[in-house]
Amino acid sequence: MSQALKVLGGLSAETFLREYWQKKPLLVRNALPELVTLLEPSDIQELALEDHVTARLILQQGKAHDQWQTKSSPLKAKDFKKLPQYWTLLVQAVDQHSLELAEMWKKFSFIPQWRRDDIMVSYAPQGGSVGQHFDFYDVFLVQGHGERRWQLGQMCDANTPLVPNQPLKILPDMQVHFDEVLQPGDLLYVPPGLSHYGVAENECLTYSFGFRMPNVASMLDRVSDQFADNNAFKNPVVDVIRQNSTAIGEVSTLEFEHLKAQLIDALKNSTCFDAGIMQLMSEPKYPDNIPEADELELSDLLEVAEESYQLQVDPASRLLYQTKADQVTFWGNGEKTTVLLSESDVLKALADGETLALNSEILAHDSISSVLQFINDAVLMLIPPQDEEDIV
């Protein structure tokens, strides 16, 4: 029997993915009480002023949906003076500044980590919002401090009309069919395209666990770069079986389909496709958040092996892998490393979200040179013993 998950209100992951994921919303009361006291409003306002932090200040003049202003990072303390009555602060990738918050991703381990975007935190005083809108990604909205009222409406797409001449993608109206106030710890899953509108009932923090898919344009762009750098694809394709024709200005259907088939065949059978997509998906969204790692030698790891250090993927980095035959190819922050399948268990465990003790067994493992390289590239991080202090 599939395990019932508290974060999904007792549903199994299989049931949620089959009946709700990218289909319909789900409200779960008291799903993540761990988040209620994790951060305070002052933490988010202070973080928004830090270097390399991506944040936006959303200002609403009155309650109308056509009077919005935005200011993006870098934000300064003066930006928070003389604010209107209704405003909202959005801080991106807070999980990359708080190890405790990054741990909360494990509550959603039924979704592959390559789908993760970041954890955004929204702070607003009473009445603050970002308007009626929709997104192209899956999001779990979890209430932390305070309360927020959420309304859900119709499904939208790229052709849905928006309020013109605004810095935000605001919907002119919503056909509300859901209207609930989220208390601290409550969770609301919103699938892509579903219109939603959240208004702070009082001073509140809302955590947005976002999951994205790459778009076709980005994938094609990245794959085309790989093909362009490969000399094997710079030779002309083989011509069709040529027949005499007097319509010399026409590109026939047969010729056109032949060219398309040649291109599709190259996409299917070349490693350029795999390399382009894996590079794209493993690249960090906020590279400035990756710390500059000290260059370590194996001897340095040996020195601290008995000091209870732990090893995990840095919250700002990404580590993905593909298994083919007897090899596993790892992609860390866009860079490739290949190891034998028989030597891959440590790196696979780390990529799968585990935290491992840095002990003699790991140091003697056949993949230790790759582990060390990922440490030096800041893909992996060493956590000192009993270091549970949150960075925020």
Side-chain angles (χ1 to χ4, degrees):
M1 184 175 178
S2 299
Q3 181 183 5
L5 300 178
K6 180 180 178 181
V7 74
L8 298 177
L11 296 177
S12 67
E14 291 80 3
T15 299
F16 171 77
L17 293 173
R18 182 179 64 250
E19 299 182 7
Y20 292 88
W21 183 248
Q22 298 207 314
K23 297 182 181 74
K24 61 182 180 180
L26 175 68
L27 172 63
V28 180
R29 298 293 185 183
N30 199 36
L32 277 175
E34 301 95 322
L35 284 181
V36 175
T37 58
L38 181 59
L39 297 174
E40 297 293 330
S42 58
D43 295 325
I44 298 304
Q45 292 187 67
E46 290 171 9
L47 183 61
L49 301 179
E50 295 290 331
D51 292 339
H52 305 312
V53 170
T54 301
R56 281 192 302 164
L57 194 55
I58 312 296
L59 310 178
Q60 181 182 2
Q61 304 293 339
K63 290 191 174 182
H65 293 298
D66 59 354
Q67 300 179 57
W68 298 88
Q69 294 179 351
T70 64
K71 182 171 179 55
S72 298
S73 53
L75 297 177
K76 305 297 181 183
K78 64 180 182 180
D79 295 321
F80 292 90
K81 296 179 179 179
K82 296 182 179 180
L83 292 169
Q85 182 178 0
Y86 305 113
W87 59 277
T88 295
L89 174 64
L90 306 178
V91 182
Q92 300 289 156
V94 179
D95 53 314
Q96 297 177 18
H97 302 277
S98 167
L99 292 179
E100 286 184 272
L101 182 56
E103 278 287 302
M104 293 297 104
W105 278 120
K106 293 181 179 179
K107 299 292 184 178
F108 304 95
S109 59
F110 48 90
I111 306 296
Q113 64 111 335
W114 68 265
R115 287 281 275 106
R116 294 177 188 169
D117 189 32
D118 68 342
I119 303 176
M120 182 186 76
V121 179
S122 167
Y123 166 74
Q126 183 177 19
S129 81
V130 296
Q132 302 175 163
H133 68 287
F134 71 97
D135 303 302
F136 288 110
Y137 53 85
D138 300 90
V139 64
F140 294 89
L141 301 165
V142 183
Q143 192 59 31
H145 179 92
E147 302 169 324
R148 189 182 289 270
R149 178 186 178 186
W150 285 100
Q151 294 179 321
L152 305 180
Q154 71 277 17
M155 293 298 295
C156 303
D157 58 29
N159 298 316
T160 298
L162 302 173
V163 177
N165 304 316
Q166 294 300 309
L168 301 172
K169 295 180 179 179
I170 302 294
L171 295 168
D173 55 64
M174 273 178 46
Q175 302 160 15
V176 176
H177 60 76
F178 173 101
D179 193 336
E180 296 283 350
V181 174
L182 265 63
Q183 307 291 332
D186 290 351
L187 172 149
L188 177 62
Y189 165 68
V190 180
L194 185 64
S195 56
H196 49 286
Y197 180 36
V199 181
E201 292 281 287
N202 41 48
E203 183 183 57
C204 76
L205 292 180
T206 303
Y207 297 81
S208 299
F209 292 74
F211 291 84
R212 289 182 184 269
M213 284 289 285
N215 58 56
V216 172
S218 296
M219 289 191 290
L220 283 174
D221 184 60
R222 192 56 59 91
V223 171
S224 69
D225 287 343
Q226 292 285 331
F227 275 87
D229 292 336
N230 191 322
N231 288 329
F233 295 102
K234 294 181 180 180
N235 297 321
V237 299
V238 177
D239 197 6
V240 295
I241 299 175
R242 184 64 53 193
Q243 295 180 352
N244 184 41
S245 173
T246 58
I248 61 173
E250 179 186 14
V251 179
S252 70
T253 300
L254 176 64
E255 291 171 317
F256 197 82
E257 290 301 321
H258 173 74
L259 293 174
K260 185 190 297 184
Q262 294 279 314
L263 177 59
I264 293 174
D265 185 65
L267 286 171
K268 284 183 177 180
N269 299 308
S270 171
T271 57
C272 289
F273 179 82
D274 291 24
I277 299 303
M278 291 301 292
Q279 183 185 64
L280 172 66
M281 295 193 302
S282 67
E283 284 181 347
K285 184 177 179 182
Y286 300 99
D288 287 344
N289 290 341
I290 298 175
E292 186 173 341
D294 295 327
E295 190 75 17
L296 300 179
E297 302 289 343
L298 182 57
S299 58
D300 298 316
L301 297 185
L302 290 169
E303 287 183 14
V304 300
E306 304 303 324
E307 298 182 18
S308 300
Y309 273 72
Q310 293 184 308
L311 192 62
Q312 70 174 47
V313 176
D314 188 281
S317 294
R318 298 193 179 188
L319 182 61
L320 308 176
Y321 62 88
Q322 278 186 310
T323 303
K324 290 189 176 181
D326 61 345
Q327 292 186 328
V328 182
T329 301
F330 291 89
W331 289 83
N333 292 344
E335 299 295 329
K336 180 175 73 171
T337 296
T338 300
V339 302
L340 293 174
L341 178 61
S342 59
E343 302 172 358
S344 65
D345 55 325
V346 169
L347 284 171
K348 284 172 69 175
L350 292 165
D352 288 339
E354 293 186 35
T355 299
L356 304 180
L358 181 67
N359 53 29
S360 57
E361 182 179 351
I362 294 234
L363 291 170
H365 199 273
D366 291 330
S367 66
I368 187 58
S369 60
S370 297
V371 171
L372 179 60
Q373 186 59 54
F374 280 135
I375 293 173
N376 287 332
D377 291 341
V379 175
L380 300 176
M381 67 181 298
L382 288 170
I383 304 175
Q386 299 179 343
D387 186 8
E388 299 179 356
E389 182 180 356
D390 200 284
I391 297 174
V392 166

